[in-house]
Amino acid sequence: MDIFGPFDDLSDADLREQLTRWCTHKIRPNTQKDEFDAYFHTVSPRSTFVKNAPPDACLLDMGAGEGSLSIYKVWPSVARSDLKFYGTSLDPIPLAANYEQVSISDFETTPRPFNGVEFDAVVASHFIEHLSDPSGFIGWAASCMKPGGRMYLEWPHEFSKRMPSSSFFAEHGIPAFTTNFFDDHTHVQTWTAQDIIDISGTSGLQPEFAGRIVLPYAAGWMRDQAREASDKISGTFAIWCAVGWAQYVILTKTL
């Protein structure tokens, strides 16, 4: 199984032509930045997953980075202050105060962090593309989940390897970080959704949903914001949401 994206069928030359045109468009929205940010973090698949965790859920934020996922406890509406966030990272988490506990550790050497807490939900966003074999992580995460628990995985689609590098977009007025998969030297591999579903099945995880993140309006708004404010974060997400750069699966633990 693969998941189709809006630019997948284009030749490389046509892809660059279409992206050049896209970079020059402007949607002229009436939406203000604060209003748009709340909108985007309401409709994105990751925020929808977190905001719909069960009441009083324990949620594992895998590779938590700065800890920004924890903002969903209070924003946007509806607040989920009942959620209990636990975070793992190789480096200190600046927003660690928002978490019940954090574990600065490697899952490969830490069998069960947090004194054996069983999780209702696990989020691993842009994590598995840094692994040479995601099966170890998926099995580890499944072992930390309750029966009926759900996992959200998000990572680059194979199409990301065909994308122009960030320098292409900079030349066309859109600052961005990673737009070609190999712009990030720590990336190892993309995996098809079917790869991940097959691997997950051996750990008692069954697919609930799989998709590409394609948000045309949001992409246009963030493109305009990136161009006007020289904002690389907005530029990166704009490009990703325009082409379906990222894919995701939601899995449920059945064992």
Side-chain angles (χ1 to χ4, degrees):
M1 180 185 73
D2 198 9
I3 306 166
F4 183 76
F7 291 80
D8 289 10
D9 280 348
L10 297 177
S11 67
D12 288 348
D14 287 344
L15 173 61
R16 285 178 171 263
E17 180 181 349
Q18 289 293 325
L19 289 172
T20 298
R21 292 177 182 175
W22 178 83
C23 287
T24 64
H25 289 173
K26 184 174 177 62
I27 61 173
R28 297 182 176 86
N30 295 322
T31 311
Q32 299 300 309
K33 188 177 188 308
D34 288 349
E35 183 183 2
F36 172 81
D37 287 345
Y39 159 76
F40 179 73
H41 288 279
T42 300
V43 301
S44 71
R46 184 178 62 163
S47 59
T48 300
F49 177 86
V50 173
K51 285 289 194 176
N52 284 282
D56 302 310
C58 293
L59 184 149
L60 175 60
D61 182 6
M62 190 68 195
E66 295 185 354
S68 58
L69 193 73
S70 64
I71 193 64
Y72 293 139
K73 287 172 65 74
V74 296
W75 177 89
S77 184
V78 172
R80 290 299 311 272
S81 57
D82 58 300
L83 298 180
K84 301 174 180 65
F85 279 73
Y86 295 76
T88 69
S89 178
L90 296 176
D91 302 304
I93 300 171
L95 296 178
N98 294 344
Y99 290 74
E100 301 292 317
Q101 297 180 46
V102 299
S103 176
I104 308 305
S105 60
D106 185 333
F107 77 89
E108 293 181 310
T109 58
T110 307
R112 287 294 298 271
F114 313 118
N115 298 317
V117 171
E118 288 190 314
F119 293 99
D120 301 277
V122 175
V123 175
S125 183
H126 293 278
F127 181 80
I128 63 172
E129 67 266 31
H130 300 276
L131 305 176
S132 57
D133 180 3
S135 61
F137 161 69
I138 291 172
W140 177 90
S143 74
C144 298
M145 296 168 64
K146 294 179 181 178
R150 301 166 77 225
M151 182 188 299
Y152 176 90
L153 297 175
E154 180 182 320
W155 72 103
H157 187 269
E158 179 74 11
F159 179 76
S160 64
K161 294 179 179 178
R162 291 187 53 212
M163 283 287 289
S165 69
S166 57
S167 61
F168 168 90
F169 292 97
E171 290 169 2
H172 291 85
I174 311 299
F177 290 107
T178 301
T179 58
N180 178 278
F181 182 77
F182 297 108
D183 284 347
D184 185 336
H185 71 277
T186 68
H187 283 172
V188 177
Q189 186 55 277
T190 58
W191 312 93
T192 69
Q194 192 63 55
D195 289 335
I196 298 306
I197 289 168
D198 291 344
I199 290 169
S200 300
T202 64
S203 297
L205 299 173
Q206 296 301 316
E208 184 181 311
F209 193 83
R212 296 269 288 276
I213 302 177
V214 181
L215 301 170
Y217 175 80
W221 195 100
M222 289 185 289
R223 173 199 60 211
D224 296 353
Q225 171 70 15
R227 185 167 48 222
E228 293 169 10
S230 298
D231 182 348
K232 283 191 171 184
I233 294 175
S234 292
T236 302
F237 281 108
I239 295 159
W240 289 9
C241 290
V243 303
W245 199 90
Q247 61 189 326
Y248 68 100
V249 299
I250 298 174
L251 304 155
T252 301
K253 183 173 180 178
T254 57
L255 299 182

